[in-house]
């Protein structure tokens, strides 16, 4: 088992003080059992209480000091330790896994039917460029470790070990799929977990869907996604004001830019006060309800490589939750 990661305020001094405190406690308990003279046991008990008091004070001061450091770090790096602490705390607030008669109904709401896609693939001129070992290594670096096994019962760590030890054989499998323009059916089956969100009084239950896919399928997806991103970027398909689903960007960046724009609009060039209006639109379940047919049409109109369009069509066809 790996070493458990400590909390952000934990220090070596606190660890040593805790060990000393526990030692004093054990000594006091032994004295109570063996010593006839209660004065020794009383003295040990006093030492334990004093050490516990000092430990509590050390923890309090360390929390205050380290929390101040974390808050100051946020100004320099919004994705730093403060972000990890808050998101970990939010994850603990989820109520639990949904079960019962409502599961299928909720699943249908979260994953609506998209209808069959056209089976006709685009004509590919020339050879399809094969995946390289560098692309495989980059995809391995993006695999998230420590996750639960998917339908194939293989955790990400096992997939990583296989790809590192048998890189050539792994690439051969990926490149055969790439040449055929297909994603294996086994890699398109997801195991669904519905995590109930925290509810307010009188509010209906809402769920956060988690789809667990086969490890090798996720590795293949990562390699395809990297190629697709590069081709779309080459064609200028992503505007600078898009923050969602892009590496290194998030809603936090969007809010920071919006605040900066609002501050600039507060006072005009002539010194008079101006107004700044923001209109927001919340599309429920946008990621799962976007038109798959629309995605393919957009890729074709942009001029994305035909073999990549064929791969996206295969990826979206016959998916099972």
């Amino acid at each position: 088992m790996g070493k458990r990661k400590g909390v952000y305020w934990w220090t070596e001094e606190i660890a040593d003080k805790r060990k000393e405190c526990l030692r004093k406690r054990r000594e006091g308990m032994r004295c109570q059992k063996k010593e006839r003279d209660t004065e020794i046991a009383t003295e040990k008990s006093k030492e334990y209480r004093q050490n516990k008091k000092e430990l509590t004070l050390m923890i309090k001061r360390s929390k205050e000091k380290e929390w101040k450091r974390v808050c100051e770090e946020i100004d320099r790096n919004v994705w730093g330790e403060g972000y990890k602490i808050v998101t970990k705390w939010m994850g603990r607030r989820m109520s639990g896994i949904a079960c019962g008669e409502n599961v299928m109904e909720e699943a249908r709401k979260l994953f609506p039917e998209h209808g069959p896609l056209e089976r006709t693939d685009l004509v590919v001129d020339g050879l399809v460029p094969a995946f390289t070992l560098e692309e495989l290594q980059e995809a391995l670096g993006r695999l998230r470790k420590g996750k639960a096994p998917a339908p194939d019962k293989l955790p990400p760590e096992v997939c990583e070990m296989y790809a590192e030890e048998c890189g050539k054989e792994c690439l051969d499998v990926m490149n055969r799929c790439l040449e055929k323009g297909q994603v294996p059916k086994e890699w398109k089956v997801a195991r669904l977990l519905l995590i109930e969100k925290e509810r307010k009084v009188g509010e209906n239950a809402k769920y956060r869907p988690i789809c667990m896919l086969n490890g090798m399928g996720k590795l293949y997806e990562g390699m395809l996604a990297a190629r697709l991103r590069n081709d779309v970027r080459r064609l200028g398909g992503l505007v600078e004001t898009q923050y969602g689903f892009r590496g290194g960007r998030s809603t936090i960046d969007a809010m920071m830019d919006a605040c900066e724009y609002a501050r600039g609009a507060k006072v005009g060039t002539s010194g008079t006060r101006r107004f700044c209006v923001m209109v927001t639109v919340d599309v429920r379940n946008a990621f799962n309800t976007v038109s798959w047919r629309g995605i393919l049409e957009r890729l074709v109109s942009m001029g994305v490589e035909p073999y990549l369009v064929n791969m996206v069509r295969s990826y979206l066809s016959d998916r099972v939750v």
Side-chain angles (χ1 to χ4, degrees):
M1 294 179 64
K3 186 178 180 180
R4 183 178 178 183
K5 186 177 180 180
V7 289
Y8 68 96
W9 47 264
W10 193 262
T11 63
E12 292 294 331
E13 291 77 12
I14 293 177
D16 293 339
K17 194 65 178 178
R18 182 175 180 271
K19 291 178 182 178
E20 182 181 357
C21 187
L22 292 175
R23 180 170 56 81
K24 294 292 183 181
R25 181 168 177 257
R26 288 193 296 268
E27 290 177 356
M29 293 176 67
R30 283 196 296 266
C31 289
Q32 288 179 352
K33 292 180 180 179
K34 297 181 180 181
E35 297 291 341
R36 295 182 179 179
D37 190 354
T38 58
E39 291 184 3
I40 298 177
T42 303
E43 184 65 26
K44 294 294 183 181
S45 179
K46 287 182 180 180
E47 291 179 2
Y48 165 67
R49 287 197 298 271
Q50 179 63 28
N51 275 270
K52 186 177 180 181
K53 185 178 179 180
E54 293 174 358
L55 175 63
T56 303
L57 184 61
M58 287 180 65
I59 292 175
K60 181 181 178 181
R61 289 176 177 174
S62 179
K63 283 184 177 180
E64 293 174 351
K65 178 183 176 182
E66 292 302 310
W67 182 249
K68 184 178 180 181
R69 176 187 62 79
V70 169
C71 293
E72 291 175 351
E73 184 190 13
I74 291 176
D75 295 331
R76 300 188 301 270
N77 180 19
V78 296
W79 305 111
E81 194 170 7
Y83 173 82
K84 297 176 182 178
I85 292 171
V86 172
T87 51
K88 185 178 180 180
W89 173 75
M90 289 175 64
R92 291 173 180 165
R93 296 175 61 188
M94 295 188 296
S95 302
I97 299 176
C99 59
E101 297 178 356
N102 296 330
V103 173
M104 291 303 297
E105 182 181 350
E106 292 298 327
R108 291 190 184 96
K109 293 179 182 178
L110 292 167
F111 298 92
E113 295 288 343
H114 287 270
L117 297 174
E118 295 181 3
R119 298 289 181 175
T120 306
D121 288 342
L122 299 180
V123 177
V124 179
D125 295 330
L127 296 174
V128 175
F131 286 125
T132 63
L133 189 59
E134 289 73 17
E135 289 177 289
L136 176 62
Q137 292 297 333
E138 290 177 2
L140 284 173
R142 289 190 292 268
L143 272 183
R144 299 180 66 181
K145 312 302 188 299
K147 300 299 177 181
D152 60 1
K153 308 300 181 184
L154 296 178
E157 290 80 2
V158 174
C159 298
E160 182 181 31
M161 291 173 58
Y162 166 71
E164 289 179 348
E165 294 294 329
C166 309
K168 184 178 181 301
E169 291 79 1
C170 184
L171 274 179
D172 288 341
V173 174
M174 304 296 186
N175 284 323
R176 287 180 185 177
C177 296
L178 190 65
E179 291 173 6
K180 295 180 178 179
Q182 295 178 355
V183 177
K185 291 183 179 180
E186 291 77 8
W187 293 354
K188 294 191 284 186
V189 177
R191 179 187 175 209
L192 174 65
L193 292 179
L194 293 179
I195 308 296
E196 185 177 352
K197 299 180 181 179
E198 186 177 21
R199 280 191 278 179
K200 297 180 181 178
V201 178
E203 187 181 50
N204 294 329
K206 295 181 180 179
Y207 299 94
R208 187 189 314 278
I210 297 178
C211 291
M212 296 194 297
L213 296 163
N214 289 343
M216 295 305 296
K218 287 195 287 188
L219 184 61
Y220 186 52
E221 288 178 20
M223 298 167 71
L224 285 176
R227 284 207 176 179
L228 186 59
R229 281 195 298 268
N230 292 335
D231 206 38
V232 171
R233 192 180 297 114
R234 175 183 63 85
L235 298 167
L238 297 178
V239 296
E240 286 301 314
T241 51
Q242 178 181 336
Y243 297 91
F245 311 108
R246 296 185 67 177
R249 297 193 182 194
S250 77
T251 52
I252 295 178
D253 300 298
M255 288 188 290
M256 291 175 66
D257 285 354
C259 291
E260 185 66 28
Y261 181 84
R263 283 191 289 266
K266 188 175 181 180
V267 179
T269 54
S270 59
T272 58
R273 297 181 67 86
R274 301 169 61 191
F275 292 98
C276 178
V277 179
M278 175 183 290
V279 179
T280 62
V281 179
D282 183 12
V283 182
R284 182 184 179 188
N285 198 25
F287 187 82
N288 293 326
T289 55
V290 65
S291 170
W292 290 356
R293 188 174 289 103
I295 292 174
L296 293 171
E297 291 175 354
R298 179 58 178 154
L299 292 177
V300 173
S301 65
M302 286 174 57
V304 172
E305 291 287 346
Y307 81 92
L308 288 174
V309 177
N310 293 339
M311 291 302 307
V312 173
R313 178 181 286 108
S314 175
Y315 176 82
L316 295 177
S317 299
D318 305 321
R319 298 196 69 83
V320 178
V321 175

